[in-house]
Every structure is written in C-alpha cells, then in structure tokens.
C-alpha cells in the first residue's frame, strides 16, 4: 500500500499547510491593525499640537499641552506594539520555495490558492530600523515643540 502512505503524507502536509496559512493570515491581520493604530496615534500627536494654537479653544492651554504630551507617549507605545506584532509576523513560516520543505509550498499553491483563498506574503520590512526611525522622528519633533512651548510660556509669564 505505497499509494496509501503517499496519500497520508499528502493529507498531513496539507493539514500543516492550512494551519500555517491560518497562523500567517492572523499574524498579517494583527500587524496591519497595529500599523493602523500606530499611524492613528502618530497623527493624533499632530492634531493635539495644532489644537494648542486654536484661539477658539475652550480649555486651558496647559490642559491642551498635557493632552499633547499624552498623545506623544501613546504614539511611542503604539510604535512598540506595532514592532512586537511585526516581529511576531516575521517569525511566522511562509510558503516561499526553498524555505525548508517545498511540500508546504506545493500544498499552498495547489490546494489552498486553488480553493480560492487569497495569497499571503509577509512584508519585507526591517522592523527594528523602522521602529527606531519612527521613535527618533517623534522624539525630534517633540523636542522642537517643547522648545516652542517653553518660548510661549516664557512670554506668558512676563506679564
């Protein structure tokens, strides 16, 4: 019964490939969600900063600046959360040929894709460098803005 063994091996490979596909798909979704949250948090920093210059603002400038400071802190956290999700994604197996056993790539191409499931590919990003760049940009902008805020406060306290 050599044909039976080949069929059992094929079905086991397909089972592993489906598990890997679902695992990779979930990790891709988590990275995408974390990236979107990271981008929203970074945008909110700019929104909070711009709100400080709004002459029609009903709140105090100090409360507005505190909201800006919290937004900066939240953006740093969101960058770190994205980095963790992206690093987890990078550790997941993919279906690239030559990456270990081509039987998994065969199962992916011949069974999973042909069944109508969307193709999956991991983004090619240097997670460490991207996160470091985003933190540095945020810190540089925040440092510049703190200097401007200090100038504003110095003028305000002269009266």
């Amino acid at each position: 019964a050599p044909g039976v063994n080949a069929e059992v091996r094929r079905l086991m490979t397909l089972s592993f490939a489906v598990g890997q596909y679902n695992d990779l798909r979930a990790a891709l979704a988590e990275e995408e969600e974390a990236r979107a949250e990271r981008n929203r948090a970074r945008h909110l920093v700019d929104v909070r900063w711009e709100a400080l210059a709004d002459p029609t603002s009903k709140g105090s400038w100090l409360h507005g600046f505190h909201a800006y400071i919290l937004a900066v802190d939240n953006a740093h956290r969101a960058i770190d959360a994205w980095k963790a999700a992206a690093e987890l994604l990078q550790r997941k197996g993919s279906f690239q040929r030559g990456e270990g056993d081509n039987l998994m790539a065969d199962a992916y191409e011949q069974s999973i894709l042909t069944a109508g499931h969307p193709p999956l590919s991991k983004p090619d990003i240097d997670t460490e460098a991207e996160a470091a760049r985003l933190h540095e940009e945020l810190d540089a902008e925040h440092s510049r803005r703190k200097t401007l805020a200090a100038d504003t406060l110095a003028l305000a306290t002269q009266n």
Side-chain angles (χ1 to χ4, degrees):
V4 172
N5 286 342
E7 182 61 10
V8 167
R9 190 166 43 254
R10 187 189 75 77
L11 289 173
M12 286 189 67
T13 300
L14 178 58
S15 176
F16 287 130
V18 167
Q20 183 170 306
Y21 178 87
N22 289 335
D23 197 34
L24 182 57
R25 192 169 181 174
L28 279 162
E30 286 173 21
E31 186 274 340
E32 194 175 296
E33 192 175 305
R35 177 187 298 271
E37 181 54 37
R38 173 199 82 182
N39 293 344
R40 275 193 298 276
R42 290 176 67 226
H43 176 69
L44 187 58
V45 170
D46 294 334
V47 170
R48 294 280 187 246
W49 176 254
E50 289 164 13
L52 289 172
D54 181 358
T56 63
S57 175
K58 301 288 184 247
S60 76
W61 189 89
L62 201 55
H63 283 98
F65 191 75
H66 184 65
Y68 162 75
I69 295 287
L70 292 176
V72 170
D73 182 61
N74 190 47
H76 278 296
R77 291 170 192 257
I79 290 167
D80 289 337
W82 165 79
K83 181 180 175 220
E87 286 173 340
L88 183 66
L89 172 60
Q90 295 303 329
R91 288 194 296 272
K92 298 293 180 190
S94 71
F95 298 99
Q96 300 302 314
R97 294 217 165 267
E99 198 181 276
D101 191 352
N102 283 335
L103 290 174
M104 292 287 274
D106 291 342
Y108 170 70
E109 292 166 3
Q110 296 164 12
S111 299
I112 295 172
L113 293 181
T114 58
H117 297 284
L120 301 180
S121 63
K122 296 192 280 189
D124 184 23
I125 32 178
D126 181 341
T127 305
E128 188 76 35
E130 176 82 358
R133 182 185 66 77
L134 293 171
H135 280 301
E136 285 167 20
E137 282 178 9
L138 190 58
D139 286 340
E141 190 65 13
H142 181 54
S143 180
R144 187 182 73 76
R145 287 171 172 172
K146 282 194 305 188
T147 300
L148 295 171
D151 289 349
T152 301
L153 287 174
L155 285 172
T157 56
Q158 282 179 3
N159 297 336

